[in-house]
Coordinates of all heavy atoms in Angstrom, one line a residue:
I3 N 0.8 -1.2 0.0 CA 0.0 0.0 0.0 C 0.9 1.2 0.0 O 0.7 2.2 -0.7 CB -0.9 -0.1 1.2 CG1 -2.0 -1.1 1.0 CG2 -1.6 1.2 1.3 CD1 -2.9 -1.4 2.3
S4 N 1.9 1.3 0.8 CA 2.8 2.3 0.8 C 3.6 2.6 -0.6 O 3.8 3.7 -0.9 CB 3.9 2.3 1.9 OG 3.3 2.0 3.1
A5 N 3.9 1.6 -1.2 CA 4.6 1.7 -2.5 C 3.7 2.2 -3.4 O 4.0 3.2 -4.2 CB 5.1 0.3 -2.9
W6 N 2.4 1.8 -3.5 CA 1.4 2.3 -4.5 C 1.1 3.7 -4.2 O 0.9 4.5 -5.1 CB 0.2 1.5 -4.5 CG 0.4 0.2 -5.3 CD1 0.6 -1.1 -4.9 CD2 0.6 0.0 -6.7 NE1 0.7 -2.0 -5.9 CE2 0.8 -1.4 -7.1 CE3 0.6 1.0 -7.9 CZ2 1.0 -1.9 -8.4 CZ3 0.9 0.5 -9.0 CH2 1.1 -0.9 -9.3
A7 N 1.0 4.1 -2.9 CA 0.7 5.5 -2.7 C 1.8 6.5 -3.0 O 1.5 7.4 -3.5 CB 0.4 5.6 -1.1
A8 N 3.1 5.9 -3.0 CA 4.2 6.8 -3.4 C 4.1 6.9 -4.8 O 4.5 8.0 -5.3 CB 5.5 6.2 -2.9
M9 N 3.8 5.9 -5.5 CA 3.9 6.0 -7.1 C 2.8 7.0 -7.4 O 2.9 7.6 -8.6 CB 3.6 4.7 -7.7 CG 5.0 3.8 -7.6 SD 4.9 2.3 -8.4 CE 3.8 1.3 -7.7
I10 N 1.6 6.8 -6.8 CA 0.5 7.8 -7.2 C 0.8 9.2 -6.7 O 0.2 10.1 -7.4 CB -0.8 7.3 -6.6 CG1 -1.2 5.9 -7.2 CG2 -2.0 8.1 -6.7 CD1 -2.3 5.2 -6.4
A11 N 1.5 9.4 -5.7 CA 1.8 10.7 -5.2 C 2.6 11.7 -6.3 O 2.4 12.7 -6.3 CB 2.5 10.7 -4.0
V12 N 3.5 11.1 -7.0 CA 4.2 11.8 -7.9 C 3.6 12.5 -8.9 O 3.7 13.6 -9.2 CB 5.5 10.9 -8.4 CG1 6.3 11.6 -9.5 CG2 6.4 10.5 -7.4
P13 N 2.7 11.7 -9.8 CA 2.0 12.4 -10.8 C 1.0 13.4 -10.2 O 0.6 14.4 -10.8 CB 1.3 11.3 -11.7 CG 1.6 10.0 -10.9 CD 2.5 10.3 -9.9
T14 N 0.4 13.2 -9.1 CA -0.5 13.9 -8.4 C 0.1 15.2 -8.1 O -0.5 16.4 -8.3 CB -1.0 13.3 -7.2 OG1 -1.7 12.1 -7.5 CG2 -2.1 14.2 -6.5
L15 N 1.4 15.3 -7.6 CA 2.0 16.5 -7.4 C 2.3 17.3 -8.6 O 2.1 18.5 -8.6 CB 3.5 16.1 -6.8 CG 4.4 17.2 -6.4 CD1 3.9 18.2 -5.5 CD2 5.7 16.7 -6.2
V16 N 2.8 16.7 -9.6 CA 3.1 17.4 -10.9 C 1.8 18.0 -11.5 O 1.7 19.2 -12.0 CB 3.7 16.5 -11.9 CG1 4.0 17.2 -13.2 CG2 5.1 16.0 -11.4
A17 N 0.8 17.2 -11.5 CA -0.5 17.5 -12.1 C -1.1 18.8 -11.2 O -1.8 19.7 -11.7 CB -1.4 16.5 -12.1
G18 N -0.8 18.8 -9.9 CA -1.3 19.7 -9.0 C -0.6 21.0 -9.2 O -1.4 22.1 -9.2
I19 N 0.6 21.0 -9.5 CA 1.4 22.2 -9.7 C 0.8 22.8 -11.1 O 0.6 24.1 -11.2 CB 2.8 22.0 -9.8 CG1 3.3 21.7 -8.5 CG2 3.6 23.1 -10.4 CD1 4.7 21.1 -8.3
Y20 N 0.7 22.0 -12.1 CA 0.2 22.4 -13.4 C -1.3 22.9 -13.3 O -1.7 23.9 -14.0 CB 0.3 21.4 -14.4 CG 1.6 21.4 -15.2 CD1 2.7 20.8 -14.7 CD2 1.7 22.1 -16.4 CE1 3.9 20.9 -15.2 CE2 2.9 22.1 -17.0 CZ 4.1 21.6 -16.5 OH 5.2 21.6 -17.1
G21 N -2.1 22.5 -12.4 CA -3.5 22.8 -12.2 C -3.7 24.0 -11.5 O -4.8 24.5 -11.4
M22 N -2.6 24.8 -11.0 CA -2.8 25.9 -10.4 C -3.0 27.1 -11.1 O -3.2 28.1 -10.7 CB -1.5 26.1 -9.4 CG -1.5 25.3 -8.1 SD -0.3 25.9 -7.1 CE 0.7 24.6 -6.8
S23 N -2.9 26.9 -12.6 CA -3.1 27.9 -13.5 C -2.2 29.2 -13.1 O -2.5 30.3 -13.3 CB -4.5 28.5 -13.5 OG -5.3 27.4 -14.0
L24 N -0.9 28.8 -12.9 CA 0.2 30.0 -12.7 C 0.6 30.4 -14.1 O 0.7 29.6 -15.0 CB 1.3 29.4 -12.0 CG 1.0 28.9 -10.6 CD1 2.2 28.1 -9.9 CD2 0.5 29.9 -9.7
R25 N 0.9 31.8 -14.1 CA 1.3 32.3 -15.4 C 2.9 32.0 -15.7 O 3.3 32.1 -16.9 CB 1.1 33.8 -15.5 CG -0.2 34.2 -15.6 CD -0.5 35.6 -15.9 NE 0.2 36.4 -14.8 CZ 0.6 37.7 -15.2 NH1 0.3 38.2 -16.2 NH2 1.1 38.3 -14.1
H26 N 3.6 31.8 -14.7 CA 5.0 31.8 -14.8 C 5.6 30.3 -14.6 O 6.7 30.2 -14.2 CB 5.7 32.7 -13.8 CG 5.2 34.1 -14.1 ND1 5.6 34.9 -15.2 CD2 4.6 34.9 -13.4 CE1 5.1 36.0 -15.1 NE2 4.4 36.1 -14.0
V27 N 4.9 29.3 -15.0 CA 5.4 27.9 -15.0 C 6.3 27.8 -16.2 O 5.7 28.0 -17.3 CB 4.3 26.8 -14.9 CG1 4.8 25.5 -15.0 CG2 3.5 27.0 -13.6
P28 N 7.5 27.6 -16.1 CA 8.4 27.5 -17.2 C 8.0 26.8 -18.4 O 8.1 27.2 -19.6 CB 9.7 27.2 -16.8 CG 9.8 27.3 -15.2 CD 8.3 27.2 -14.9
Q29 N 7.5 25.5 -18.2 CA 7.3 24.7 -19.3 C 6.0 25.2 -20.1 O 5.8 24.6 -21.2 CB 7.1 23.3 -18.8 CG 8.2 22.6 -18.1 CD 8.5 23.1 -16.8 OE1 7.8 23.7 -16.1 NE2 9.7 22.7 -16.3
L30 N 5.1 26.0 -19.6 CA 3.9 26.4 -20.2 C 4.2 27.1 -21.6 O 3.4 27.0 -22.5 CB 3.1 27.2 -19.3 CG 2.5 26.5 -18.3 CD1 1.6 27.5 -17.5 CD2 1.6 25.4 -18.7
S31 N 5.3 27.8 -21.7 CA 5.7 28.5 -23.0 C 6.5 27.6 -23.8 O 6.6 28.1 -25.0 CB 6.3 29.8 -22.5 OG 7.6 29.5 -22.1
W32 N 6.8 26.5 -23.5 CA 7.6 25.6 -24.3 C 6.7 24.9 -25.3 O 5.7 24.5 -24.9 CB 8.4 24.6 -23.5 CG 9.5 25.0 -22.6 CD1 9.9 26.5 -22.5 CD2 10.2 24.4 -21.6 NE1 10.9 26.7 -21.5 CE2 11.1 25.4 -21.0 CE3 10.2 23.0 -21.2 CZ2 11.9 25.0 -20.0 CZ3 11.1 22.8 -20.2 CH2 12.0 23.7 -19.5
T33 N 7.3 24.5 -26.4 CA 6.6 23.9 -27.4 C 6.1 22.3 -26.9 O 5.0 21.9 -27.1 CB 7.3 23.6 -28.7 OG1 7.6 24.9 -29.1 CG2 6.5 22.9 -29.8
F34 N 7.1 21.7 -26.2 CA 6.9 20.4 -25.7 C 6.7 20.4 -24.2 O 7.0 19.3 -23.6 CB 7.9 19.4 -26.3 CG 8.0 19.4 -27.8 CD1 8.9 19.9 -28.4 CD2 7.0 18.8 -28.4 CE1 9.0 19.9 -29.9 CE2 7.0 18.5 -29.8 CZ 8.0 19.1 -30.5
G35 N 6.3 21.4 -23.6 CA 6.3 21.5 -22.1 C 5.2 20.5 -21.5 O 5.6 19.8 -20.5
Y36 N 4.2 20.4 -22.2 CA 3.2 19.4 -21.6 C 3.6 18.0 -21.9 O 3.4 17.1 -20.9 CB 1.9 19.7 -22.4 CG 0.6 18.9 -21.8 CD1 0.2 19.2 -20.7 CD2 0.0 17.8 -22.5 CE1 -0.9 18.4 -20.0 CE2 -0.9 17.1 -22.0 CZ -1.5 17.5 -20.7 OH -2.5 16.6 -20.2
A37 N 4.1 17.7 -23.0 CA 4.6 16.3 -23.2 C 5.9 16.0 -22.2 O 5.9 14.9 -21.7 CB 5.2 16.1 -24.6
L38 N 6.6 16.9 -21.9 CA 7.8 16.9 -21.0 C 7.2 16.5 -19.6 O 7.7 15.7 -18.8 CB 8.6 18.1 -20.9 CG 9.8 18.0 -19.9 CD1 10.8 17.0 -20.5 CD2 10.5 19.3 -19.9
A39 N 6.2 17.2 -19.1 CA 5.6 17.0 -17.9 C 5.0 15.6 -17.7 O 5.1 15.0 -16.8 CB 4.5 18.0 -17.5
L40 N 4.2 15.1 -18.9 CA 3.8 13.7 -18.9 C 4.8 12.7 -18.9 O 4.8 11.7 -18.1 CB 2.9 13.5 -20.1 CG 1.5 14.3 -20.1 CD1 0.8 14.0 -21.5 CD2 0.7 13.7 -19.0
L41 N 5.9 13.1 -19.6 CA 7.1 12.1 -19.6 C 7.7 12.1 -18.2 O 8.2 11.1 -17.7 CB 8.1 12.5 -20.6 CG 9.2 11.7 -20.8 CD1 8.8 10.2 -21.4 CD2 10.2 12.4 -21.8
L42 N 7.8 13.2 -17.6 CA 8.3 13.3 -16.1 C 7.4 12.6 -15.2 O 8.2 11.7 -14.4 CB 8.5 14.7 -15.7 CG 8.9 14.9 -14.2 CD1 10.2 14.6 -14.0 CD2 8.5 16.4 -13.8
M43 N 6.3 12.5 -15.2 CA 5.4 11.9 -14.4 C 5.4 10.4 -14.6 O 5.5 9.5 -13.7 CB 3.8 12.3 -14.7 CG 3.6 13.6 -14.0 SD 1.8 14.0 -14.2 CE 1.7 14.8 -15.7
A44 N 5.5 9.8 -15.9 CA 5.6 8.5 -16.3 C 7.0 7.8 -15.9 O 7.1 6.9 -15.2 CB 5.4 8.2 -17.6
G45 N 7.9 8.8 -16.1 CA 9.4 8.2 -15.7 C 9.5 8.1 -14.3 O 10.2 7.2 -13.8
A46 N 9.1 9.1 -13.5 CA 9.2 8.9 -12.0 C 8.4 7.8 -11.4 O 8.8 7.1 -10.6 CB 8.8 10.3 -11.4
S47 N 7.2 7.7 -12.0 CA 6.4 6.5 -11.6 C 7.1 5.1 -11.9 O 7.0 4.3 -11.1 CB 5.0 6.7 -12.2 OG 4.4 7.7 -11.8

């Protein structure tokens, strides 16, 4: 249960930061920023 909770927490953290609708998140202006975030979540998990 602890292992699964840790694996679920990583993408939740990244998605939570992106969900704040901040104007100055660096990856938002990048062409592949969203894909990079998804790759980061999948890689970390």
Side-chain angles (χ1 to χ4, degrees):
I3 292 169
S4 298
W6 282 109
M9 288 188 290
I10 291 169
V12 172
T14 302
L15 172 69
V16 175
I19 291 171
Y20 271 82
M22 284 191 234
S23 299
L24 300 173
R25 289 190 305 156
H26 301 293
V27 176
Q29 294 83 4
L30 291 179
S31 62
W32 296 353
T33 303
F34 299 106
Y36 186 68
L38 179 66
L40 289 176
L41 186 63
L42 172 73
M43 288 186 268
S47 295

